[in-house]
Amino acid sequence: MSPTVSHKDSSRQRRPGPVNHCLDVKSGPLPPGVWEEEPSADGVGGEGDTEALLRAAGGRAPRAPRGCRAELGSILLLLLLYVLQGIPLGLAGSVPLLLQSHNASYTDQAFFSFVFWPFSLKLLWAPLVDAVYVRGFGRRKSWLVPTQYVLGLFMLYLSTQVERLLAGADGRGPDVRALTLAFFLFEFLAATQDIAVDGWALTMLSRENVGYASTCNSVGQTAGYFLGNVLFLALESADFCNKYLRAEPQPRGLVTLGDFLFFWGTVFLITTTLVALLKKENTEVIPSKEETKGITDTYKLLFTIIKMPAVMTFCLMILTAKIGFSAADAVTGLKLVEEGVPKEHLALLAVPMVPLQIILPLIISKYTAGPQPLNVFYKAMPYRLLLGLEYALMVWWTPKVAHQGGFPIYYYIIVLLSYALHQITLYSMYVSIMAFNAKVSDPLIGGTYMTLLNTVSNLGGNWPSTVALWLVDPLTVKECSGVSDQNCWTPEAVELCKNLGGSCVTTLDGYYVESIICVIIGFAWWFFFGPKFKNLQDEAPSSWKCRRSN
């Protein structure tokens, strides 16, 4: 539970850590264009996965099966690339907590939340990454190497500026606009690296070992997110370092955000240089019929899919289904920090959640594997909505149990149990949607179809979170205590109140107002639209087939 009590279905992040802007599905790379005769890479292990079928030149018989030990180097390289992919996600997820520590407003937090959108919008430029490349250098390296070099250099530059941006000019608070622009570009580059690595994963390994790609993705990105978020927040905290890592107290943590960016920028540059010089791309692939005929054809295909009545209905419903969770998911963690809960303690709650996050999809998939996966989504929704009210009660209760600047152990146990229950409902809905997307996707265009549905699902979590953060301040009512005929409705009024010797006191917190409104909207959606949403799984298979003109 950190700046946003994680919602896995809101972004690219594979595992919802305590911070969540964090979570989307693994969509396969989009089909190649016409620049070269390359096979389609629309999934792992499927019919379209001929890119991973390696043969000798001249159409000879396939080579003998290779064990994973024979490709251990490639597997470890993939793992490292996915770890590097998780670092920007974790760092971006830690910034809202740092902003909260610097007294940033919730309007500022909402503005910064746009940073997490590139991973949900990468479908817009994925066809370009897949189609344009330099044959002599390699289809995936043509994008991976330049992108990672730019990422590394950008991190080195940002390391010299980020502390100034967090402190702000003249002590007026963080420069949120500059931070948002910087980290948006940061995440855009990371999303582009993600497209390249996902595509390379299918050709780097032989057919019998290509299944390890998803394992490398899951383990690597989880580890990278942990390093960039949980580990950084712990090492950045003076209290945590003084309590657990130092013999003598110091006024600051072991590292700053600038130090962390400089270290990983250096790692990016060294790693990218080694990959560029030492790793060759596999060119022994079987030419096969392409899923699309080029970049233009891919975009036409996407437009054709989304115009289908069944798909249009699904998109409209999934874009509104998560409004009811937005206050709980996006604001609760920040409110806990505002009430005095150390941000590093919230981040560390992700550690005991890891086993649960591994086991839950395995258990839930047994109930979503049948012909009606959306039943699980429908049944889990009211429980997740009620947990939103429980989160609001927990925030209200937090200052009442604080003592001597800290919180008792039973408080953290209750927070951890609440987070665990939230994860159960979250994963139930997430796995259900992923199973439905896989069920209805046209197998002839599976990669593009699945990526589109997953992108819409992710946007359905992103935009309500941004709006929820934006509305906290306008819904909050403050009065100027100690000065008559003075209010605190605007920043100027707040400053005037302080100059007159008064202080602004919150009489109605917008978070509680928003929590109630969101839950009401959520239950209204569940009651009126939930049955119609479930009925989508009863549509005839032909309703989801895309008729293309060749």
Side-chain angles (χ1 to χ4, degrees):
M1 219 177 292
S2 45
T4 67
V5 178
S6 95
H7 40 105
K8 181 170 183 73
D9 44 1
S10 67
S11 74
R12 167 64 177 83
Q13 296 168 230
R14 300 267 307 155
R15 106 178 158 70
V19 180
N20 103 348
H21 293 293
C22 11
L23 309 190
D24 148 293
V25 304
K26 178 75 172 79
S27 303
L30 287 171
V34 295
W35 286 53
E36 299 206 17
E37 185 66 15
E38 293 278 0
S40 171
D42 56 10
V44 177
E47 292 181 0
D49 192 24
T50 53
E51 205 171 7
L53 274 171
L54 308 181
R55 297 195 186 195
R60 295 194 297 270
R63 294 180 295 192
R66 305 178 65 185
C68 64
R69 291 187 179 181
E71 296 185 300
L72 183 60
S74 294
I75 292 174
L76 292 177
L77 175 59
L78 273 180
L79 183 64
L80 175 61
L81 292 176
Y82 279 120
V83 169
L84 294 179
Q85 185 184 119
I87 297 296
L89 290 168
L91 284 173
S94 67
V95 172
L97 292 175
L98 298 179
L99 291 176
Q100 198 71 0
S101 300
H102 286 78
N103 299 317
S105 68
Y106 285 94
T107 302
D108 291 335
Q109 294 281 10
F111 192 76
F112 187 82
S113 69
F114 284 108
V115 163
F116 303 99
W117 285 50
F119 269 94
S120 292
L121 297 174
K122 60 184 177 139
L123 175 64
L124 298 178
W125 68 93
L128 183 66
V129 175
D130 222 29
V132 180
Y133 58 95
V134 179
R135 176 188 286 273
F137 191 56
R139 179 178 179 183
R140 307 304 177 185
K141 286 173 63 177
S142 295
W143 286 91
L144 178 71
V145 171
T147 299
Q148 288 200 169
Y149 268 131
V150 175
L151 261 172
L153 293 173
F154 188 63
M155 292 171 83
L156 292 180
Y157 172 75
L158 194 58
S159 69
T160 65
Q161 304 294 321
V162 70
E163 299 298 331
R164 178 182 62 82
L165 296 178
L166 281 172
D170 303 325
R172 284 186 281 180
D175 188 343
V176 177
R177 292 184 180 274
L179 282 169
T180 301
L181 177 61
F183 277 89
F184 185 90
L185 294 175
F186 196 29
E187 296 302 289
F188 174 81
L189 291 169
T192 305
Q193 187 257 20
D194 171 51
I195 298 168
V197 175
D198 286 350
W200 199 4
L202 296 180
T203 57
M204 189 182 295
L205 303 178
S206 60
R207 176 61 178 264
E208 55 269 19
N209 293 321
V210 75
Y212 286 101
S214 61
T215 302
C216 292
N217 181 290
S218 178
V219 175
Q221 196 180 78
T222 296
Y225 186 86
F226 181 88
L227 292 172
N229 186 273
V230 179
L231 181 64
F232 164 69
L233 289 173
L235 296 180
E236 188 270 344
S237 169
D239 291 338
F240 181 88
C241 293
N242 291 337
K243 187 174 181 179
Y244 299 106
L245 303 178
R246 288 180 175 143
E248 296 183 4
Q250 298 291 332
R252 51 168 282 179
L254 291 176
V255 300
T256 64
L257 182 55
D259 298 333
F260 211 73
L261 284 167
F262 182 85
F263 172 80
W264 284 108
T266 304
V267 171
F268 263 83
L269 293 179
I270 294 174
T271 303
T272 306
T273 301
L274 293 175
V275 170
L277 295 177
L278 303 179
K279 184 62 178 177
K280 301 292 185 182
E281 281 199 45
N282 184 13
T283 57
E284 296 178 340
V285 295
I286 303 175
S288 66
K289 185 178 180 179
E290 296 182 0
E291 183 180 87
T292 62
K293 299 177 181 179
I295 302 175
T296 303
D297 189 57
T298 299
Y299 289 117
K300 288 181 179 179
L301 175 59
L302 292 173
F303 186 66
T304 300
I305 294 172
I306 206 168
K307 285 195 304 180
M308 297 162 55
V311 175
M312 179 67 74
T313 302
F314 170 82
C315 291
L316 292 175
M317 288 195 170
I318 202 63
L319 283 173
T320 56
K322 301 168 189 174
I323 295 175
F325 318 127
S326 57
D329 289 351
V331 188
T332 301
L334 296 174
K335 275 296 175 182
L336 291 177
V337 173
E338 182 181 320
E339 297 294 349
V341 181
K343 58 183 181 298
E344 63 275 10
H345 290 179
L346 287 179
L348 288 171
L349 290 179
V351 178
M353 287 292 102
V354 171
L356 182 66
Q357 292 162 352
I358 295 174
I359 296 171
L360 276 176
L362 300 177
I363 297 175
I364 297 168
S365 61
K366 296 180 181 179
Y367 300 94
T368 59
Q372 295 185 316
L374 292 183
N375 288 355
V376 176
F377 182 100
Y378 182 76
K379 292 176 181 178
M381 187 171 181
Y383 295 101
R384 188 172 170 187
L385 290 169
L386 291 175
L387 280 172
L389 293 179
E390 191 270 341
Y391 273 171
L393 288 174
M394 186 169 62
V395 172
W396 172 82
W397 178 59
T398 296
K400 302 182 185 304
V401 296
H403 61 86
Q404 297 179 351
F407 295 86
I409 188 64
Y410 68 83
Y411 170 79
Y412 288 107
I413 293 175
I414 291 175
V415 172
L416 186 62
L417 289 175
S418 299
Y419 185 42
L421 291 173
H422 177 266
Q423 292 296 287
I424 293 173
T425 59
L426 182 152
Y427 269 88
S428 296
M429 300 179 69
Y430 168 75
V431 175
S432 173
I433 287 294
M434 294 307 104
F436 178 75
N437 289 351
K439 173 178 176 288
V440 301
S441 293
D442 190 335
L444 296 179
I445 48 174
T448 302
Y449 206 130
M450 272 286 288
T451 303
L452 173 63
L453 296 182
N454 293 339
T455 297
V456 174
S457 298
N458 297 332
L459 286 176
N462 270 336
W463 79 262
S465 294
T466 298
V467 173
L469 286 166
W470 220 301
L471 289 177
V472 173
D473 285 337
L475 293 175
T476 298
V477 178
K478 294 183 178 181
E479 293 181 354
C480 182
S481 178
V483 180
S484 59
D485 300 328
Q486 181 61 37
N487 59 59
C488 296
W489 296 347
T490 64
E492 293 76 14
V494 171
E495 190 66 26
L496 180 59
C497 175
K498 293 179 180 179
N499 293 337
L500 294 176
S503 61
C504 288
V505 178
T506 300
T507 57
L508 180 63
D509 194 322
Y511 166 68
Y512 301 115
V513 177
E514 195 174 80
S515 295
I516 295 173
I517 293 175
C518 284
V519 171
I520 292 174
I521 293 175
F523 272 108
W525 189 98
W526 180 73
F527 184 79
F528 291 106
F529 297 106
K532 297 180 181 179
F533 190 62
K534 276 201 310 176
N535 290 340
L536 286 174
Q537 62 196 351
D538 299 325
E539 291 275 353
S542 59
S543 300
W544 305 94
K545 298 293 183 182
C546 182
R547 297 181 180 178
R548 300 178 56 204
S549 57
N550 294 323

